[in-house]
C-alpha cells in the first residue's frame, strides 16, 4: 500500500492527547524507505572526463566524454543544456548556520538556521561560481520528504549524508549547489516555528541573503567561525511542496535580491485560506498545532510564549487578525521579482486550490513571468504522477532562470492540464484567451429543489429551501441531484450539446434567510456524467506506488537517486465535483469579521469557489449545488439552520472559455429542466474524512 499523505490531529494546548491519523492508507509514521532502496538496483555509468559515478534515468541523454559546463550567457548556452559532468561522489558536503537577525526563542542571541549544502567540488577549484537550488522545510527530521518519507541523515562530522528527494543527486553533477534549510525551530535550527509567519519566511530569506553576501553565517550553531559563500554567484531558485513551497511563495513576496525563480508545489498563498473560507472553519485545529508537530525538542522547551502568541492570534471564530495578515503573501505579490512555476492538484483537499488561484491572479496582475501545471490528483508531487516529463521540464526551467540558457522554456505553452489520467493538454496562456466570466442563475423547475441553470434571472419571489445536515457531503448531494431532498438545492443544465470549459475561479452569490443565528454555506460545481478520473480520495490521492524503481541522478553509498515507480489510481464515477467554495453567512458584510445573524432576515454573501480547469463534455450536465455543511471539508455551525434562498438575487459567476456565448451554445436546444436521465453508478468519489493535517509531507 503506498505511503503518501496523512491527516493529522496534532497536539493542542489543551489536555487532548497527540494522535496521528491518516487520510487514507496505513496508520502511523512511515517506516524508513531507505531500507527498501537497494544500491544493487542502481545502474552506474562512468563519465570519463571527471571520473564521476553517475546514474541517468531511462531515456536520459548520455553525457559525452570530455563534456564541459557551459558558461551562462555564452553562445553555447543558447543551444545546450547543463550536463552531469561533475562528481557527485566527491561533492563538498558542509553545514553552516545563518543568523536570521531575530531572537524568537529569547535566549539573548540571534536565531541561527541550519543550512546543509551539497555542491560540486570542481567549479570552485576552477575559480567558477555556481547557482543554488534550495528547499527550505520544517520536515527534514520530524516527518520526511517525498513519497518515501525521506529524512536528512548525517555523518559523524555533522555533514549531510542523505539529502531527501532527487534534487541534489540530479542537479549537483550538472553544476548546481543544492541547499536544504531547516526552518527556524526545526531539526538543527534555533528559534521558534511560527507557521508561515516572519520567522519562517526570514529563515529562508536570510539564507538567500547569505548566498548573496548580505547575511552572516557560522560553522556551528553557537559560536564558531564566520562562513562565507564565495563559491556561489548568488542566483537562487527555491522549490518545495506544500509547507516548503509555501515558504518559497513567502520569500518571493519579500522581493529579496538574488531569488531568480520559485517552484511552489501544492503551496499555500494565504494561511487564512488554509484554515478558513470566509469565516467557515476548514479544520478543527490551528497553526499552533502544526508548530507542535514539527518543532524540535529545543523549540518545545523554549518557545511556549511564541506559541501562545500564535494561539491568541488565530481565534477559531474565523475573524481576520494581524497574524493572518502577516501570513498572506498575495497581499505582497507586487514585490515578486522571481519567475514562478506553479504546480497544484485540482482535487487537492489539503491545500485547497483557492491558494494557487488567487496567487496566480495576483502574479498575473503584476506581470510576473510564470508557468503552471494542474493535475487531477490531490496533494501529490509531480515527480509521483508525471515523473518522466517533470524532471526534464524542471531541468530546463532551472537551466534557463539560473544558468541563463536560452532553451525556450519560457516560450513554450504556459499551462499543462491533466484532462484524464495521464492525458494532458496545453494552453499558450492560462486561463486561455477568450475566457470570460458569465453569470448563470438558478431557477426553479417542476420539482422543488430540482432546478435549472439559466443566463436569465429567476422570476420574482422564486425561492429554494434546504436544511443543513452535517452528516452529508457533496457526493451525497450530487448523487441525489435529480431528487427533491431537504438538505440541498440543486440546479442543472440539460445534457450539453457542446463541450463547455470552465477555467479559473468562480464566485457564487446567494441571498439566504436563516432560521437560526449561525449558518454555514457550501457551493459546488459538478460535472454530471460518467467518467474515469484519478481516485483523489484514495490512499495515494490519485497515485499507486509500485515496487520497481527509476533512478534520477548520481549515487553515493548513503544517498540513492532511485525511487519507487508510481501509476495512476483510476476510478469510474457518475459525477465529478470540480470546484468548491464555503462561507459562514455571518461574514456577509465582511470577509474579515463575522457577526451573529438575525433569524428571518435575508443576507447576501459571495462564496469564492476554488480555481480549476475542467471540461464538461457534450452529453453531460453542469450543476450548481448550494447546501450547508460539506461533511469532511468544513466544520458545522453551532445550530442546524434552515435557509431559504432568494433565487432572483442569487447567481454563479463562472469563467467559461468563450464566455456567456459558450454557455448559450452548449445549452441551446436542450429544452426545459426536468426529466433528465438518472446518474449511473458509481455516483462519485467519496469525500475524504478530514481532520487537521499537516500542509505537507507527513508521509510523502
Amino acid at each position: 500500500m503506498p505511503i503518501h499523505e496523512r491527516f493529522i490531529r496534532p497536539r493542542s494546548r489543551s489536555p487532548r492527547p497527540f494522535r496521528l491519523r491518516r487520510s487514507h492508507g496505513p496508520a502511523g509514521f512511515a517506516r524508513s524507505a531507505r531500507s527498501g532502496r537497494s544500491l544493487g538496483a542502481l545502474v552506474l555509468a562512468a563519465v570519463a572526463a571527471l571520473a564521476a559515478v553517475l546514474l541517468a534515468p531511462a531515456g536520459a541523454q548520455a553525457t559525452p566524454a570530455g563534456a564541459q559546463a557551459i558558461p551562462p550567457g555564452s553562445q553555447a548556452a543558447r543551444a545546450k543544456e547543463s550536463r552531469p559532468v561533475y562528481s557527485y561522489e566527491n561533492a563538498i558536503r558542509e553545514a553552516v548556520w545563518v543568523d536570521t537577525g531575530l531572537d524568537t526563542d529569547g535566549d539573548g542571541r540571534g536565531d541561527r538556521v541550519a543550512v546543509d549544502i551539497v555542491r560540486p567540488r570542481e567549479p570552485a577549484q576552477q575559480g567558477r561560481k555556481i547557482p543554488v537550488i534550495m528547499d527550505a522545510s520544517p520536515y527534514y527530521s520530524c516527518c520526511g520528504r517525498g513519497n518515501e518519507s525521506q529524512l536528512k541523515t548525517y555523518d559523524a562530522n555533522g555533514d549531510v549524508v542523505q539529502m531527501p528527494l532527487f534534487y541534489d543527486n540530479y542537479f549537483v553533477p550538472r553544476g548546481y549547489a543544492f541547499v536544504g534549510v531547516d526552518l527556524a525551530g526545526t531539526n538543527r535550527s534555533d528559534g521558534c516555528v511560527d507557521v508561515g509567519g516572519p520567522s519562517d519566511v526570514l529563515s529562508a530569506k536570510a539564507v538567500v541573503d547569505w548566498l548573496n553576501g548580505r547575511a552572516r553565517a557560522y560553522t556551528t550553531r553557537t559560536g564558531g567561525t564566520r562562513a562565507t559563500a564565495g563559491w556561489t554567484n548568488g542566483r537562487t531558485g527555491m522549490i518545495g511542496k506544500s509547507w516548503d513551497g509555501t515558504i518559497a511563495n513567502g520569500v518571493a513576496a519579500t522581493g529579496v535580491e538574488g531569488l531568480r525563480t520559485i517552484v511552489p508545489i501544492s503551496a499555500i498563498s494565504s494561511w487564512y485560506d488554509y484554515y478558513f473560507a470566509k469565516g467557515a472553519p476548514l479544520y478543527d485545529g490551528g497553526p499552533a498545532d502544526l508548530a507542535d508537530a514539527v518543532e524540535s525538542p529545543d523549540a518545545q522547551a523554549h518557545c511556549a510564549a511564541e506559541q501562545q502568541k500564535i494561539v491568541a492570534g488565530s481565534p477559531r471564530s474565523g475573524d481576520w487578525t494581524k497574524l493572518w495578515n502577516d501570513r498572506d503573501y498575495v497581499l505582497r505579490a507586487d514585490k515578486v521579482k522571481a519567475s514562478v512555476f506553479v504546480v497544484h492538484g485540482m482535487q487537492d483537499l489539503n491545500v485547497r486550490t483557492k491558494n494557487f488561484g488567487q496567487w496566480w491572479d495576483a502574479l498575473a496582475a503584476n506581470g510576473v513571468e510564470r508557468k503552471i501545471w494542474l493535475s487531477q490528483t490531490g496533494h501529490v508531487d509531480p515527480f509521483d504522477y508525471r515523473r518522466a516529463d517533470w524532471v526534464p521540464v524542471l531541468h530546463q526551467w532551472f537551466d534557463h532562470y539560473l544558468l541563463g540558457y536560452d532553451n525556450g522554456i519560457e516560450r513554450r505553452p504556459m499551462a499543462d492540464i491533466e484532462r484524464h489520467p495521464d492525458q494532458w493538454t496545453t494552453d499558450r496562456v492560462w486561463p486561455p484567451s477568450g475566457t470570460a466570466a458569465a453569470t448563470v442563475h438558478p431557477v426553479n423547475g417542476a420539482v422543488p429543489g430540482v432546478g435549472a441553470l439559466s443566463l436569465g434571472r429567476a422570476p420574482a419571489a422564486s425561492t429554494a429551501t434546504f436544511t443543513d445536515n452535517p452528516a452529508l457531503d457533496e457526493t451525497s448531494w450530487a448523487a441525489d441531484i435529480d431528487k427533491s431532498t431537504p438538505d440541498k438545492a440543486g440546479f442543472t443544465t440539460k445534457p450539453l450539446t457542446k463541450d463547455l470549459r470552465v477555467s479559473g475561479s468562480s464566485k457564487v452569490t446567494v441571498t439566504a434567510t436563516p432560521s437560526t443565528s449561525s449558518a454555514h454555506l457550501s457551493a459546488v460545481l459538478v460535472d454530471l456524467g460518467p467518467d474515469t478520473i484519478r481516485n483523489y480520495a484514495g490512499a495515494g490521492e490519485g497515485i499507486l506506488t509500485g515496487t520497481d524503481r527509476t533512478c534520477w541522478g548520481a549515487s553515493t553509498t548513503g544517498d540513492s537517486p532511485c525511487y519507487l515507480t508510481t501509476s495512476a489510481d483510476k476510478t469510474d464515477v457518475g459525477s465529478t465535483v470540480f470546484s468548491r467554495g464555503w462561507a459562514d453567512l455571518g461574514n456577509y458584510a465582511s470577509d474579515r469579521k463575522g457577526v451573529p445573524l438575525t433569524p428571518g432576515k435575508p443576507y447576501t454573501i459571495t462564496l469564492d469557489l476554488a480555481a480549476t480547469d475542467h471540461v464538461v463534455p457534450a452529453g453531460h450536465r453542469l450543476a450548481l449545488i448550494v447546501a450547508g455543511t460539506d461533511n469532511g471539508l468544513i466544520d458545522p455551525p453551532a445550530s442546524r439552520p434552515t435557509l431559504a434562498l432568494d433565487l432572483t438575487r442569487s447567481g454563479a459567476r463562472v469563467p467559461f472559455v468563450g464566455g456567456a456565448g459558450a454557455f448559450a451554445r452548449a445549452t441551446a436546444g436542450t429544452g426545459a429542466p426536468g426529466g433528465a436521465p438518472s446518474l449511473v453508478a458509481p455516483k462519485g468519489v467519496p469525500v475524504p474524512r478530514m481532520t487537521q493535517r499537516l500542509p505537507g509531507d507527513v508521509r510523502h
Side-chain angles (χ1 to χ4, degrees):
M1 209 168 203
I3 299 171
H4 192 56
E5 168 86 10
R6 264 178 294 195
F7 297 94
I8 188 167
R9 188 186 300 273
R11 291 170 298 185
S12 69
R13 300 297 165 183
S14 68
R16 158 171 80 137
F18 181 92
R19 291 187 296 139
L20 191 62
R21 306 182 75 178
R22 58 182 175 91
S23 56
H24 355 72
F29 274 162
R31 292 183 296 274
S32 171
R34 294 189 297 278
S35 62
R37 300 175 64 184
S38 169
L39 292 177
L42 306 182
V43 181
L44 300 178
V47 179
L50 297 168
V53 180
L54 300 171
L55 257 165
Q61 195 169 7
T63 303
Q68 298 295 316
I70 303 166
S74 68
Q75 183 177 0
R78 293 191 289 272
K80 302 280 188 178
E81 67 178 17
S82 61
R83 301 298 180 91
V85 297
Y86 299 121
S87 170
Y88 181 71
E89 183 178 30
N90 295 322
I92 295 170
R93 294 169 181 264
E94 57 189 339
V96 301
W97 278 260
V98 174
D99 195 327
T100 68
L102 302 174
D103 181 16
T104 56
D105 54 12
D107 64 359
R109 58 182 177 84
D111 298 338
R112 294 183 183 180
V113 292
V115 180
D116 291 305
I117 301 165
V118 183
R119 58 186 175 92
R121 186 176 301 273
E122 296 87 350
Q125 294 173 337
Q126 299 163 3
R128 293 196 306 102
K129 298 185 177 184
I130 59 175
V132 172
I133 298 170
M134 183 168 79
D135 186 346
S137 176
Y139 297 132
Y140 283 129
S141 65
C142 74
C143 315
R145 310 304 300 122
N147 195 35
E148 299 174 45
S149 301
Q150 290 182 305
L151 304 174
K152 283 182 179 177
T153 63
Y154 300 93
D155 63 17
N157 296 321
D159 294 327
V160 68
V161 173
Q162 175 178 267
M163 188 78 83
L165 306 177
F166 76 99
Y167 303 134
D168 58 318
N169 308 81
Y170 187 85
F171 285 104
V172 168
R174 288 168 166 80
Y176 295 83
F178 183 78
V179 168
V181 180
D182 298 330
L183 292 184
T186 70
N187 199 18
R188 302 199 297 174
S189 289
D190 279 340
C192 299
V193 179
D194 71 348
V195 191
S199 178
D200 263 17
V201 172
L202 289 177
S203 295
K205 178 183 178 294
V207 178
V208 178
D209 283 332
W210 174 69
L211 293 168
N212 284 273
R214 298 188 299 267
R216 295 190 175 193
Y218 301 87
T219 55
T220 62
R221 180 172 171 179
T222 59
T225 58
R226 285 282 297 277
T228 59
W231 45 267
T232 178
N233 55 26
R235 296 174 186 159
T236 304
M238 292 184 68
I239 188 170
K241 177 172 176 289
S242 208
W243 197 330
D244 304 17
T246 300
I247 299 306
N249 284 343
V251 175
T254 70
V256 62
E257 294 291 341
L259 183 63
R260 299 298 184 93
T261 191
I262 64 170
V263 184
I265 302 167
S266 303
I268 296 166
S269 61
S270 167
W271 281 87
Y272 179 89
D273 294 307
Y274 181 73
Y275 283 104
F276 296 98
K278 199 164 287 190
L282 306 183
Y283 298 111
D284 66 352
D289 297 329
L290 294 187
D292 278 345
V294 302
E295 63 188 3
S296 67
D298 228 23
Q300 290 175 355
H302 297 100
C303 293
E306 286 298 307
Q307 300 311 332
Q308 189 53 45
K309 291 179 184 177
I310 296 178
V311 173
S314 55
R316 297 304 299 157
S317 65
D319 288 348
W320 187 279
T321 65
K322 182 181 182 301
L323 179 140
W324 302 122
N325 202 72
D326 290 342
R327 291 159 176 78
D328 190 334
Y329 317 128
V330 180
L331 297 176
R332 302 165 181 84
D334 61 336
K335 295 183 179 180
V336 175
K337 300 173 184 175
S339 63
V340 183
F341 189 169
V342 171
V343 181
H344 219 103
M346 290 185 287
Q347 295 289 3
D348 190 339
L349 297 176
N350 181 342
V351 178
R352 306 180 199 200
T353 62
K354 182 183 179 184
N355 277 279
F356 92 74
Q358 61 192 1
W359 184 235
W360 182 265
D361 292 344
L363 296 173
N366 288 284
V368 175
E369 201 161 344
R370 63 203 184 280
K371 184 176 179 62
I372 191 167
W373 274 23
L374 298 174
S375 71
Q376 278 197 346
T377 66
H379 199 64
V380 184
D381 193 294
F383 187 76
D384 295 316
Y385 59 72
R386 204 186 181 194
R387 188 174 301 178
D389 294 312
W390 171 244
V391 177
V393 168
L394 185 64
H395 180 188
Q396 293 161 13
W397 185 264
F398 283 140
D399 272 3
H400 177 69
Y401 287 102
L402 298 182
L403 289 177
Y405 289 9
D406 186 9
N407 54 23
I409 186 70
E410 81 286 6
R411 298 187 295 273
R412 294 177 192 168
M414 179 182 285
D416 280 34
I417 300 165
E418 189 176 28
R419 296 293 171 205
H420 301 283
D422 294 323
Q423 296 178 25
W424 293 76
T425 62
T426 62
D427 287 283
R428 186 182 62 82
V429 296
W430 192 86
S433 300
T435 301
T439 301
V440 294
H441 298 278
V443 298
N444 280 327
V447 178
V450 182
L453 289 175
S454 169
L455 289 174
R457 289 184 182 275
S462 297
T463 62
T465 302
F466 63 87
T467 299
D468 190 350
N469 184 350
L472 300 180
D473 59 32
E474 59 191 39
T475 301
S476 308
W477 305 331
D480 290 334
I481 190 68
D482 297 316
K483 299 177 184 177
S484 179
T485 59
D487 52 82
K488 56 96 175 74
F491 310 92
T492 78
T493 66
K494 294 283 281 186
L496 302 179
T497 58
K498 298 179 182 294
D499 291 355
L500 185 61
R501 180 178 174 185
V502 177
S503 184
S505 304
S506 302
K507 292 181 180 294
V508 174
T509 298
V510 298
T511 297
T513 301
S515 63
T516 61
S517 61
S518 64
H520 291 167
L521 288 168
S522 300
V524 298
L525 294 176
V526 191
D527 177 345
L528 298 170
D531 201 357
T532 299
I533 66 172
R534 284 189 185 262
N535 183 21
Y536 61 85
E541 297 191 46
I543 66 166
L544 298 171
T545 302
T547 56
D548 295 332
R549 293 181 181 273
T550 60
C551 305
W552 301 85
S555 176
T556 64
T557 301
D559 197 334
S560 165
C562 300
Y563 293 86
L564 293 170
T565 57
T566 63
S567 59
D569 181 11
K570 304 176 185 179
T571 186
D572 294 326
V573 297
S575 63
T576 305
V577 176
F578 62 87
S579 187
R580 309 161 174 88
W582 310 273
D584 186 317
L585 188 56
N587 285 65
Y588 68 93
S590 169
D591 291 352
R592 300 194 168 200
K593 185 173 179 58
V595 297
L597 304 170
T598 300
K601 179 181 177 179
Y603 298 92
T604 298
I605 192 169
T606 297
L607 288 71
D608 299 321
L609 268 62
T612 190
D613 195 299
H614 185 85
V615 176
V616 183
H620 288 204
R621 294 179 289 157
L622 171 65
L624 166 67
I625 300 174
V626 181
T629 301
D630 193 347
N631 184 16
L633 296 184
I634 64 171
D635 287 345
S639 56
R640 287 190 54 183
T642 295
L643 295 108
L645 301 181
D646 181 346
L647 300 187
T648 309
R649 299 165 61 191
S650 300
R653 192 148 180 83
V654 182
F656 296 115
V657 178
F663 180 86
R665 289 186 292 273
T667 56
T670 58
S678 299
L679 297 179
V680 296
K683 302 302 185 185
V685 176
V687 177
R689 293 292 159 254
M690 297 199 179
T691 57
Q692 172 69 65
R693 56 174 171 172
L694 290 176
D697 299 339
V698 197
R699 288 190 287 117
H700 77 298

